[in-house]
Amino acid sequence: MLDDTLKAQLSAYLERVTQPFEIVASLNDSETSRDTLELLQTIVGLRSDKITLKTDGQDARRPSFSLQRTGSDTQLRFAGLPLGHEFTSLVLALLWTGGHPPKVEQEVIDQIKSLEGDYAFEVYMSLTCHNCPDVVQAFSLMAILNPKVRTTVIEGGAFQDEVNAREIMAVPMVYLNGQVFGSGRMTVEEIVGKLDTGAAAKEAVKLSNKEPYDILIIGGGPAGAAAAVYAARKGIRTGLAAERFGGQVNDTLAIENYISVLETDGPKFAMGLEAHARTYDVDIMNLQRAEQIIPAAQPGGLIEVKLANGGSLKGKTVILSTGARWRNVNVPGEQEYKNKGVAYCPHCDGPLFKGKRTAVIGGGNSGIEAAIDLAGIVAHVTVIEFADQLKADAVLVRKLNSLPNVTVHTNAQTSEITGAEGKVNGLRYKDRATGEEHLVPLEGVFVQIGLVPNTEWLKGTLELSRHGEIVVDARGATSVSGVFAAGDATTVPFKQIVIAAGDGAKAALAAFDHLIRSAG
């Protein structure tokens, strides 16, 4: 199951286990159970002085296993085989259960431990989902730190009947006490903030009391991170407030065109962005959504940014790097069936449509890459492209055309996503050449039609293009003095990670130049 190299790495990690605990497995005669037992026996064999294995578990989900620290009431269970992207989650759970401290701020740890109530979480994930590990690890940590939190991590592929019964069509999907708690990527800070209702008000006061920054950056994607590094290196007071550090990079699977990095994935790249920014004296304020910017009342005055939690931050200059999000197709049925057959991340949710019929709306690179990936999992893929030809790179189009279970419709306008009994059952499109309407029966629709800038909150404050992008000059300056912008939220052509990072650095240098000239 694990090769010698992986066993050696795991053995080194397990040396950090300092407190004894036991693994209690509930098994049956399935192949997955046999694989689970083999994995657990390997783990115990590498650290038998601290970890013991019992196979007499009575849990209804089989295979499953719990991690139980000796003398503790911790309640963490994995149902299915946590390999693929989730192997790291299992390793961390083993280390945390065995007493190794998590790399989480002490303030968050204290919040978790102080949660009152009865929390039974069920976290559904897939082994190919790159957004799932953060969610799995967050709820695992909560169960280990607080006995009032019970977490069961469920691999959807091993419990397909359960997934179908609950009509789960997107992962990660989280239930709390039998009711939907949330879906999609969530950090432990977000989860705790949602449970601790008084946390937002306390955080707002804390943020409002911060001293003004020389450069205040709003947004933590590649542009914001680069701006933070370049600003902090100047030795000036730098703050960065982000709704989600890493931004849309977190939702990107393969990154193969960032110069000098041959290949990486989005979550790993996002972690690198944050780690680099934290090596400098940058005040990072994550999970903060900006709602209003108030320009300085006079030249050289402070610019204020109001936050969704009621707090506010001030800066002598501000760099806006709020990025973009997936564009909606805006047809009947899209919102109604979101996460019920309508999805936006083929890497995360594709395995849930195994053997089913799906469609991809969009014929650009992201759409064709999605169709190629899905074709290896689902029964059939229909590609719907508005233009009269696919816009993806030729190499991708050739690959797509070689696949036997893909149909392409160009010059086609999606008009409706249909459904019944709460889930998708088809897609309607119009042939733009003939005007004829067509209905494609299917179970899943993946929307891949580009980006929309996160700038609605800036309307009426500074100049935006007709597409909602922040208008910037060659130095990243906006129409408001002291306010700069960078990345996918701006009018810069070609929305690429490497371009966003470069523009973030440029905006920081321009803001620093503005500070010098203003002081003079």
Side-chain angles (χ1 to χ4, degrees):
M1 169 127 344
L2 303 181
D3 61 30
D4 291 341
T5 300
L6 200 53
K7 285 181 182 178
Q9 292 173 343
L10 180 58
S11 179
Y13 282 123
L14 293 179
E15 287 298 320
R16 303 175 188 179
V17 171
T18 58
Q19 298 182 27
F21 66 92
E22 62 183 18
I23 302 173
V24 181
S26 301
L27 305 170
N28 54 24
D29 59 358
S30 68
E31 182 180 351
T32 306
S33 276
R34 291 192 292 272
D35 290 341
T36 300
L37 179 59
E38 180 184 343
L39 174 63
L40 298 180
Q41 288 173 334
T42 299
I43 291 170
V44 172
L46 294 173
R47 198 70 164 94
S48 58
D49 60 324
K50 295 292 184 182
I51 308 172
T52 57
L53 173 63
K54 294 183 178 180
T55 58
D56 57 354
Q58 300 301 310
D59 192 75
R61 290 189 180 99
R62 296 169 184 257
S64 68
F65 59 92
S66 63
L67 307 181
Q68 298 178 357
R69 184 185 299 164
T70 304
S72 168
D73 294 325
T74 56
Q75 300 181 69
L76 170 62
R77 177 174 296 277
F78 288 87
L81 195 56
L83 295 177
H85 283 299
E86 293 303 335
F87 185 67
T88 298
S89 300
L90 172 60
V91 173
L92 288 173
L94 294 168
L95 294 180
W96 295 335
T97 303
H100 188 70
K103 292 182 179 179
V104 178
E105 296 291 336
Q106 186 61 44
E107 183 178 352
V108 176
I109 293 175
D110 292 341
Q111 271 188 286
I112 293 171
K113 290 182 175 180
S114 66
L115 287 173
E116 295 290 340
D118 183 24
Y119 305 101
F121 289 104
E122 296 168 293
V123 183
Y124 289 87
M125 55 81 174
S126 76
L127 300 183
T128 59
C129 168
H130 61 282
N131 282 328
C132 292
D134 282 351
V135 178
V136 169
Q137 291 160 27
F139 284 101
S140 298
L141 180 61
M142 290 172 63
I144 292 167
L145 292 177
N146 189 334
K148 298 182 179 69
V149 178
R150 304 189 304 279
T151 296
T152 302
V153 178
I154 304 159
E155 197 275 291
F159 296 90
Q160 196 68 47
D161 290 344
E162 192 172 323
V163 167
N164 291 336
R166 277 184 153 170
E167 297 184 348
I168 296 171
M169 296 184 178
V171 287
M173 179 68 72
V174 181
Y175 287 78
L176 170 58
N177 300 333
Q179 302 297 315
V180 173
F181 175 79
S183 63
R185 188 183 180 91
M186 292 177 275
T187 65
V188 66
E189 293 87 356
E190 287 175 296
I191 297 162
V192 174
K194 192 172 179 178
L195 297 172
D196 184 358
T197 55
K202 290 183 285 188
E203 183 71 6
V205 173
K206 178 181 173 182
L207 293 171
S208 298
N209 288 333
K210 288 181 178 286
E211 292 295 319
Y213 299 95
D214 293 308
I215 295 181
L216 172 61
I217 300 156
I218 306 299
V229 169
Y230 269 74
R233 284 172 61 87
K234 295 295 184 182
I236 58 178
R237 180 166 164 75
T238 304
L240 186 152
E243 187 170 359
R244 179 176 62 149
F245 206 104
Q248 197 180 13
V249 166
N250 287 299
D251 303 322
T252 303
L253 190 60
I255 298 173
E256 300 174 340
N257 56 359
Y258 195 86
I259 308 307
S260 83
V261 179
L262 294 181
E263 183 180 358
T264 186
D265 60 54
K268 187 183 298 183
F269 190 85
M271 289 173 61
L273 292 176
E274 184 170 359
H276 198 170
R278 288 190 183 278
T279 60
Y280 295 96
D281 191 16
V282 179
D283 186 5
I284 294 177
M285 298 156 280
N286 206 6
L287 309 179
Q288 303 301 329
R289 188 175 81 251
E291 286 196 335
Q292 183 183 4
I293 184 168
I294 303 174
Q298 58 190 18
L302 295 175
I303 303 160
E304 182 178 4
V305 176
K306 292 192 172 183
L307 305 172
N309 65 5
S312 68
L313 300 167
K314 295 181 177 66
K316 296 176 183 177
T317 61
V318 169
I319 297 174
L320 302 172
S321 57
T322 49
R325 62 188 183 275
W326 291 116
R327 186 181 299 277
N328 292 323
V329 70
N330 292 323
V331 297
E334 180 180 20
Q335 293 303 315
E336 181 181 356
Y337 298 112
K338 188 175 182 181
N339 294 332
K340 294 296 182 182
V342 175
Y344 299 83
C345 179
H347 308 295
C348 302
D349 302 330
L352 299 176
F353 294 86
K354 183 178 181 180
K356 298 180 180 180
R357 300 163 297 180
T358 64
V360 173
I361 302 175
N365 282 348
S366 60
I368 301 310
E369 287 173 351
I372 292 169
D373 287 344
L374 288 168
I377 303 170
V378 305
H380 190 271
V381 181
T382 300
V383 176
I384 306 293
E385 167 54 39
F386 184 83
D388 59 4
Q389 61 182 359
L390 298 178
K391 296 172 289 185
D393 293 343
V395 63
L396 294 175
V397 174
R398 284 196 298 270
K399 174 63 176 176
L400 184 78
N401 290 335
S402 72
L403 301 174
N405 61 336
V406 175
T407 301
V408 177
H409 297 293
T410 56
N411 219 14
Q413 181 176 359
T414 303
S415 56
E416 182 183 5
I417 297 171
T418 64
E421 299 180 352
K423 53 186 177 182
V424 167
N425 68 4
L427 178 147
R428 293 187 188 276
Y429 73 91
K430 181 176 73 174
D431 187 317
R432 297 176 60 227
T434 66
E436 185 178 356
E437 289 274 353
H438 299 270
L439 174 64
V440 181
L442 43 72
E443 289 75 43
V445 177
F446 289 83
V447 180
Q448 301 279 291
I449 56 172
L451 305 172
V452 58
N454 297 316
T455 58
E456 291 87 350
W457 63 287
L458 296 169
K459 289 180 179 177
T461 304
L462 46 72
E463 185 182 358
L464 302 177
S465 73
R466 64 187 180 89
H467 299 297
E469 300 164 318
I470 303 169
V471 176
V472 293
D473 65 13
R475 296 166 60 87
T478 72
S479 60
V480 174
S481 178
V483 178
F484 300 81
D488 288 1
T490 73
T491 49
V492 64
F494 313 120
K495 313 303 186 184
Q496 297 290 311
I497 294 173
V498 68
I499 293 173
D503 280 354
K506 179 171 62 177
L509 295 174
F512 181 70
D513 185 65
H514 177 86
L515 287 170
I516 295 173
R517 295 177 185 277
S518 297

